[in-house]
Amino acid sequence: MTVTHLELANTVERIYRRFADLLRVDLIRLGKDDISPAQVALLFTIGEDELSVRDLLDRGHYMGSNASYNLKQLADSGYVERQIMARDRRSARIKLTTKGHELCEALHEFHEEYHDALASNLEDQQEMETALRTLRRLEEFWTQTLRYGGIPMNSALSTPEVRNRR
């Protein structure tokens, strides 16, 4: 069976939707109704750091208007703190509040349980590592293709047949 990059992309999208559904259930279990799974993803991306909005967008590959809306909601709900920069009032630094850290810690506990159930032995853990390496290679391939146009010559994902079509 030949797996195409389109099948991988569709699978990743479906996996992310299931992950968002799982976060939604976890938030219900925690009694949190003032935050969405997309906003939780922003909290995880910020983590222990203090980031500019631009750094956050680059790190998480978010769309600007979407991230701005979600950051405003997170600030209004008390999960993040925005510090306006004195030298450029248009710029802000973002960091988690205590409330944001507590939510991330609670969710990490749930997800440690999920991980333990999914990767219960060495073989399962190795499969997870292989899947992650493959997805990162695919991400790098697409990034290089977008950045430089065409299929990267030194790509481990490009086959001789594909290179010969250029």
Side-chain angles (χ1 to χ4, degrees):
M1 178 174 128
T2 301
V3 177
T4 69
H5 72 109
L6 295 174
E7 289 172 291
L8 288 172
N10 286 334
T11 301
V12 168
E13 182 181 1
R14 283 192 314 273
I15 289 169
Y16 182 75
R17 283 197 307 265
R18 290 297 80 77
F19 179 70
D21 292 342
L22 186 62
L23 280 176
R24 197 170 287 107
V25 168
D26 292 341
L27 291 169
I28 291 168
R29 286 172 57 189
L30 293 170
K32 301 289 183 181
D33 61 358
D34 60 345
I35 187 168
S36 71
Q39 292 165 347
V40 169
L42 281 170
L43 295 182
F44 285 149
T45 301
I46 297 167
E48 297 297 320
D49 297 330
E50 183 176 314
L51 303 171
S52 69
V53 174
R54 174 83 265 156
D55 291 341
L56 178 65
L57 294 175
D58 289 344
R59 184 182 284 187
H61 310 287
Y62 303 106
M63 300 302 289
S65 59
N66 232 8
S68 294
Y69 170 80
N70 283 322
L71 285 171
K72 182 179 179 341
Q73 296 295 109
L74 288 169
D76 291 348
S77 298
Y79 290 102
V80 299
E81 179 182 320
R82 294 185 65 166
Q83 297 175 334
I84 304 298
M85 304 306 291
R87 69 179 187 285
D88 183 356
R89 300 205 40 86
R90 296 171 297 170
S91 297
R93 308 258 327 146
I94 310 284
K95 69 179 184 177
L96 298 186
T97 61
T98 300
K99 182 179 179 181
H101 282 290
E102 289 172 352
L103 177 60
C104 286
E105 288 174 25
L107 290 169
H108 277 295
E109 288 178 21
F110 287 148
H111 289 268
E112 283 178 23
E113 292 174 21
Y114 301 145
H115 175 78
D116 291 346
L118 184 60
S120 60
N121 59 49
L122 182 59
E123 184 179 327
D124 291 342
Q125 183 60 38
Q126 288 170 338
E127 286 181 5
M128 295 285 285
E129 290 169 5
T130 299
L132 181 60
R133 277 194 309 274
T134 301
L135 291 171
R136 285 183 173 162
R137 281 180 46 215
L138 186 60
E139 177 187 22
E140 179 63 24
F141 177 81
W142 286 341
T143 299
Q144 295 300 318
T145 300
L146 287 169
R147 184 173 291 147
Y148 301 113
I151 297 170
M153 290 300 286
N154 61 352
S155 171
L157 290 178
S158 64
T159 63
E161 300 82 35
V162 170
R163 284 192 296 264
N164 289 336
R165 282 190 278 177
R166 288 197 223 159

